[in-house]
Amino acid sequence: MDFLDIGDRSIFFYLLIFLLAVVAALDLSIGVLFFLKRSGSLKANSFYGLLLIAFGLTLLHNILDFAGIYELFPGVKFLPLYYTLAFPTLLFFYVKLSLYPAYRLKWTDVKHFMLPVFQFLFFLGLFFMPVEFKSHWGRSFYNPFYGAFEQFLYLTTFIAYLYFSHRYIREKRLELRRKRSPELKQVLYLRTLIRVLFFLFVIHAVFVVADFICFEFLNINLRSVKAYVALGMLSFAALAAWLGTYGFQVLIWGRKVFGK
């Protein structure tokens, strides 16, 4: 037996689980602290806190799924921890409310929250179903909340909301540059958040799309390749780690950067 093996799993498996758990704990803890943050826009803080918590919980879902916990304990299957469709909306409103703190949410904004709410209700409903019923449910192609179509919605809406966020930042930056406003520093900080996030998301999207194409069109199951699965999970963890790091920076020296 390889000295790196522990039972039927290698030490790298446990290292990966540990790393993912650290990132999840980072996002969850920083996310909670954002609800206690009193500087800046309280509404924007709440949206970023929810964003970090959503990432942390989704990463926890990935850990439980990857470790086979749902198979060992089918009663906890569909525990409502999976919030991929909430990421784009929460990120967008964090940026928008940071740039325009006086903005009030309107009834027309409800459309942005429909997919996240339905995804939550989908998992919540199935979670309380009998184990015999849940055993027949899993990822399916046309499922908009947990399957191939959900991944399509996740990727496309994330890219779209990143684009809209960047547009808001660009317009605000041009406006503040003309006024020579000191608030320009905050806008540049937000721009860095979005640019790095876009770069990391493209890498993550490549793993997701490659997995779908290979499975559906080439009959190749990349999820059976341990290295590919690990790198794919790390690509998602990188998104969560960057958001958590950004949140940590804002909490530590946000007053100096944002002047608030």
Side-chain angles (χ1 to χ4, degrees):
M1 179 182 293
D2 193 311
F3 77 96
L4 289 178
D5 287 340
I6 302 177
D8 59 347
R9 290 173 172 173
S10 73
I11 189 66
F12 296 109
F13 169 86
Y14 295 99
L15 287 175
L16 176 61
I17 292 294
F18 174 76
L19 181 59
L20 297 177
V22 169
V23 176
L26 169 69
D27 278 17
L28 291 172
S29 57
I30 297 297
V32 170
L33 290 177
F34 258 85
F35 285 94
L36 305 177
K37 187 175 182 290
R38 291 294 172 259
S39 60
S41 167
L42 297 183
K43 289 182 290 186
N45 293 342
S46 298
F47 272 100
Y48 200 76
L50 286 173
L51 175 63
L52 289 178
I53 291 173
F55 259 94
L57 292 177
T58 302
L59 196 52
L60 180 58
H61 164 87
N62 292 344
I63 293 172
L64 296 176
D65 188 30
F66 183 60
I69 301 300
Y70 293 136
E71 294 180 6
L72 290 174
F73 305 98
V76 300
K77 188 177 181 181
F78 292 107
L79 192 67
L81 300 173
Y82 193 74
Y83 299 105
T84 54
L85 301 182
F87 302 157
T89 298
L90 295 174
L91 175 66
F92 172 72
F93 277 98
Y94 166 68
V95 171
K96 187 172 183 177
L97 290 168
S98 295
L99 296 174
Y100 305 99
Y103 180 80
R104 293 177 177 270
L105 293 176
K106 306 172 183 176
W107 279 109
T108 54
D109 292 320
V110 170
K111 61 180 179 290
H112 298 286
F113 300 93
M114 292 180 65
L115 283 176
V117 169
F118 284 137
Q119 186 178 45
F120 168 73
L121 293 177
F122 170 79
F123 274 85
L124 186 66
L126 284 179
F127 175 67
F128 287 106
M129 290 292 179
V131 174
E132 296 77 14
F133 181 84
K134 290 193 289 187
S135 63
H136 299 291
W137 281 81
R139 284 187 174 272
S140 60
F141 189 89
Y142 294 106
N143 191 330
F145 308 119
Y146 194 53
F149 190 52
E150 168 258 323
Q151 290 287 284
F152 171 77
L153 291 174
Y154 160 55
L155 296 180
T156 54
T157 55
F158 207 119
I159 289 293
Y161 279 92
L162 278 176
Y163 170 73
F164 295 140
S165 298
H166 186 267
R167 281 193 58 183
Y168 270 106
I169 292 171
R170 182 175 180 274
E171 292 172 3
K172 189 69 173 181
R173 181 174 64 89
L174 294 175
E175 174 189 335
L176 294 177
R177 283 183 64 181
R178 289 192 295 267
K179 297 179 179 179
R180 299 181 182 275
S181 172
E183 294 181 4
L184 182 61
K185 186 184 297 185
Q186 176 186 4
V187 177
L188 296 178
Y189 212 62
L190 288 170
R191 184 177 67 173
T192 300
L193 166 67
I194 296 301
R195 286 186 172 182
V196 174
L197 196 60
F198 175 76
F199 173 76
L200 294 175
F201 186 77
V202 168
I203 297 175
H204 171 60
V206 168
F207 280 95
V208 176
V209 173
D211 177 40
F212 173 78
I213 292 177
C214 288
F215 185 79
E216 295 294 336
F217 299 103
L218 302 178
N219 200 28
I220 300 174
N221 185 11
L222 290 177
R223 296 189 182 186
S224 64
V225 182
K226 295 180 179 179
Y228 186 88
V229 173
L231 289 174
M233 295 184 70
L234 287 174
S235 72
F236 178 78
L239 290 170
W242 166 240
L243 289 169
T245 302
Y246 174 89
F248 178 77
Q249 292 176 337
V250 170
L251 289 176
I252 296 301
W253 57 79
R255 288 179 179 271
K256 181 178 179 181
V257 173
F258 298 148
K260 297 179 180 180

